[in-house]
Amino acid sequence: MNQIITISREFGSGGRELGKRLAETMGLAYYDYEIIKGIADKSGLALTYVNSIVEHHMTEYYPIRVGRSFTVVNKPVTETAVFKAQSELIKELAEKEGGVFIGRCADYILRERRPVRIMVYADLDSRLLRCREKAKSGERLSDEEMRRQIIAVDKRRSRYYEQYTGQKWGVKENFDLCINTSGVKIKEIIPGLVEYKKGLS
Amino acid sequence: MNQIITISREFGSGGRELGKRLAETMGLAYYDYEIIKGIADKSGLALTYVNSIVEHHMTEYYPIRVGRSFTVVNKPVTETAVFKAQSELIKELAEKEGGVFIGRCADYILRERRPVRIMVYADLDSRLLRCREKAKSGERLSDEEMRRQIIAVDKRRSRYYEQYTGQKWGVKENFDLCINTSGVKIKEIIPGLVEYKKGLS
């Protein structure tokens, strides 16, 4: 059976890096931004619009491109369409070859396939530090502004997740393994995770 | 520096087995019932009484032996004395040679030494199954009664932990790694955990 790992992550926790390294080390496919692109293709909605919903969970109404014309769409309807396309796509990819799926409710969408569900989290200071390291050199946000941004992103992720899964976001009971990356070098824990995965039947 | 690992666990999750196997594999000392014995020696209170507080978190007043006479003691005072003796003992053991500590608020008591804090949990069905496997052959509790017992034990653990640490029991933010043992063979995940531990600086 295909190996499927889902990674849920707090913003700035290094979950994406963890997923990417895990996929590389285990020789698995890695799905992250590819999912956004696929949903856009599948739903016929504009890439930027799909991105705003799936990646940034934006809730504002604004003009989007549908086919060739710009229009203000009925947000709840298209949001549901996006989630439907997202579910179908994630299921297809899992069916086809498995792999590591970052975010996007994949843990819930693929629940019947019993994926290994990993949650990556860290304290706010560590997440701030990771965001600073990754930020472009021209970044002008103060620590306080960046902290607020981190909290806001997670609030949106949490709302989106709960809306579509009916489950509380980030609760340990919904995961097989929860990893605290505060002060941890992601690269260093990959061998342990690969070994741990082998122990799960 | 001494290696220190603390294991917090839901009742029936296999946390004790996990801790024991981890200690054996890593060649570390293992502290479980030894702590109860040490507290009794340290505090001069009866072993059965210390056990009722630290292990079973019993809250009833009842006659205990202090020195050579039986008496009804002021419970809050002795409970605090027990926690004090427990803290001192756990700190001494950690200082002396480190090791794996099962429960007993060791994650909190040793927080300044930055132990690797592991939380072990599982769904209720898995925990029921583990309890059944471990139960003596004469065990007559129905599944429903056993389920209630499991929940009651965790409720007492939770209350005790929160009373002495001021922290919420079992919240992922207070741990470095949270392990879901539902359907997992504890023995199989030990190599992964040993490897994971190496990756933590």
Side-chain angles (χ1 to χ4, degrees), chain B residues 60-78:
Chain B
E60 296 80 15
Y61 283 72
Y62 68 111
I64 64 154
R65 202 193 65 204
V66 180
R68 291 186 178 189
S69 58
F70 279 83
T71 178
V72 175
V73 296
N74 184 332
K75 180 79 168 23
V77 171
T78 50

Side-chain angles (χ1 to χ4, degrees), chain A residues 10 117 119 121 170-173 175-180 183-185 188-189 191-193 195-196 199-201, chain B residues 10 117 119 121 170 172-173 175-180 183-185 188-189 191-193 195-196 199-201:
Chain A
E10 286 181 351
R117 303 156 303 169
M119 170 78 205
Y121 62 102
V171 170
K172 74 178 190 302
E173 281 70 19
F175 299 101
D176 298 292
L177 199 63
C178 302
I179 299 172
N180 188 340
V184 167
K185 290 196 188 80
E188 307 291 325
I189 57 171
L193 290 179
E195 194 64 33
Y196 187 87
L200 302 175
S201 50
Chain B
E10 287 181 350
R117 302 156 303 166
M119 170 77 205
Y121 62 103
K172 72 178 190 303
E173 281 70 18
F175 299 101
D176 298 292
L177 198 63
C178 302
I179 299 173
N180 188 340
V184 168
K185 289 195 189 78
E188 307 291 325
I189 57 171
L193 290 179
E195 194 64 32
Y196 187 87
L200 302 176
S201 50

